[in-house]
């Protein structure tokens, strides 16, 4: 599948998630679409300086308090103003640009919502799952995504599984063909960062349940 086709498929999967999340019981901990959308905005525009954990990455080591880029609990109004107007207007680093002409009102609102969970690895991992995996593995991570019927063997049920974290990480990194399964699941190493891979495993661990006796081990 081409990169453009894959991106379109993910967007369609997210649309399906948005339409059905209120009508189906899910294994989700993040139930808000703004969090999912905000994660995309954050990773596109903010992660370079603020880091994947929201801790300012290496910039937090700077002694100049103006260069402290860690994201701290603050009122939404504060973050809306600093995102819109930039850091210079708040006596902070001028490296923080004013985003009011580059991001929509919705994007600004969404990314503020995402910053509320940016230091939580499990919830970050859910965002990774919801923006990359639901098309095949499904909203409920039960292997019943909208594209699941296209593949044999079907995508794995990630809730009722006996696979450990090491196996999950390996098959995500290398792809399913390299693990003697179908060729449908691509290798994600290089597409996801090490932090995203770790976060995804953390999230999958929280939703895993003991497999039922009538289920085939995945």
């Amino acid at each position: 599948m081409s990169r453009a086709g894959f991106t379109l498929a993910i967007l369609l999967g997210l649309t399906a998630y948005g339409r059905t999340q209120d009508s189906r019981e899910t294994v989700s901990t993040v139930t808000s679409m703004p969090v999912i959308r905000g994660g995309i905005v954050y990773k596109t525009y903010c992660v370079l300086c603020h880091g994947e954990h929201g801790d300012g990455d290496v910039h937090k080591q700077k002694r100049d308090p103006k260069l402290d880029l860690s994201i701290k609990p603050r009122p939404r109004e504060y973050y809306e103003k600093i995102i819109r107007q930039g850091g210079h207007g708040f006596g902070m680093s001028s490296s923080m640009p004013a985003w009011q002409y580059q991001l929509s009102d919705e994007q600004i609102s969404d990314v503020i919502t995402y910053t509320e969970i940016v230091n939580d690895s499990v919830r970050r991992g859910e965002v990774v799952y919801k923006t990359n995996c639901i098309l095949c593995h499904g909203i409920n991570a039960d292997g019943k995504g909208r594209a699941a019927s296209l593949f044999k063997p079907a995508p794995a049920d990630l809730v009722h599984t006996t696979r450990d974290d090491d196996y999950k990480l390996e098959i995500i990194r290398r792809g399913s063909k390299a693990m003697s399964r179908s060729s449908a699941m691509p290798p994600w190493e290089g597409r996801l960062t090490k932090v995203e891979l770790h976060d995804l495993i953390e999230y999958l661990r929280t939703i895993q349940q003991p497999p039922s006796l009538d289920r085939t081990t995945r």
Side-chain angles (χ1 to χ4, degrees):
M1 181 183 293
S2 68
R3 181 178 294 272
F6 185 80
T7 301
L8 176 60
I10 290 298
L11 290 174
L12 290 173
L14 282 173
T15 300
Y17 168 64
R19 289 174 179 171
T20 60
Q21 63 170 332
D22 294 331
S23 60
R24 293 181 59 186
E25 181 181 357
T26 74
V27 295
S28 172
T29 56
V30 174
T31 56
S32 169
M33 274 302 290
V35 175
I36 308 300
R37 295 193 306 260
I40 297 173
V41 177
Y42 184 87
K43 292 173 184 179
T44 303
Y45 298 101
C46 313
V47 71
L48 179 64
C49 295
H50 292 287
E52 293 182 89
H53 300 92
D55 58 2
D57 198 19
V58 297
H59 304 285
K60 68 179 180 178
Q61 304 300 327
K62 304 285 186 180
R63 291 189 177 182
D64 186 345
K66 292 183 179 180
L67 294 178
D68 182 359
L69 300 180
S70 59
I71 296 174
K72 304 177 180 66
R74 296 183 186 272
R76 288 184 66 91
E77 294 77 13
Y78 171 88
Y79 281 116
E80 181 173 356
K81 288 181 180 179
I82 198 170
I83 291 170
R84 289 186 181 278
Q85 300 175 24
H88 182 71
F90 283 77
M92 300 299 289
S93 172
S94 59
S95 297
M96 170 79 175
W99 291 101
Q100 59 186 331
Y101 301 117
Q102 299 181 56
L103 298 179
S104 68
D105 291 344
E106 181 181 62
Q107 286 175 310
I108 291 173
S109 177
D110 289 345
V111 78
I112 293 172
T113 302
Y114 180 75
T115 63
E116 295 170 0
I117 63 100
V118 71
N119 61 354
D120 185 327
S121 62
V122 172
R123 300 191 77 184
R124 288 197 313 262
E126 185 181 1
V127 173
V128 175
Y129 179 85
K130 295 285 173 62
T131 53
N132 295 281
C133 312
I134 62 170
L135 187 64
C136 297
H137 291 283
I139 297 170
N140 293 318
D142 55 6
K144 298 179 181 179
R146 288 187 173 242
S149 62
L150 301 176
F151 307 116
K152 291 185 179 180
D157 179 345
L158 300 174
V159 178
H160 303 92
T161 179
T162 58
R163 300 297 189 182
D164 60 20
D165 290 351
D166 290 339
Y167 178 88
K168 292 174 188 173
L169 179 60
E170 194 71 4
I171 197 170
I172 293 169
R173 287 179 54 249
R174 298 175 57 196
S176 52
K177 185 176 181 179
M179 303 290 285
S180 301
R181 288 185 58 81
S182 75
S183 60
M185 178 171 160
W188 287 94
E189 190 170 42
R191 303 188 191 195
L192 298 178
T193 66
K194 290 182 179 180
V195 172
E196 287 175 316
L197 289 169
H198 172 267
D199 292 344
L200 180 55
I201 296 300
E202 289 285 308
Y203 169 66
L204 293 178
R205 185 187 301 135
T206 66
I207 65 173
Q208 185 171 341
Q209 300 175 14
S212 301
L213 294 178
D214 59 344
R215 291 178 180 267
T216 302
T217 299
R218 299 295 181 95

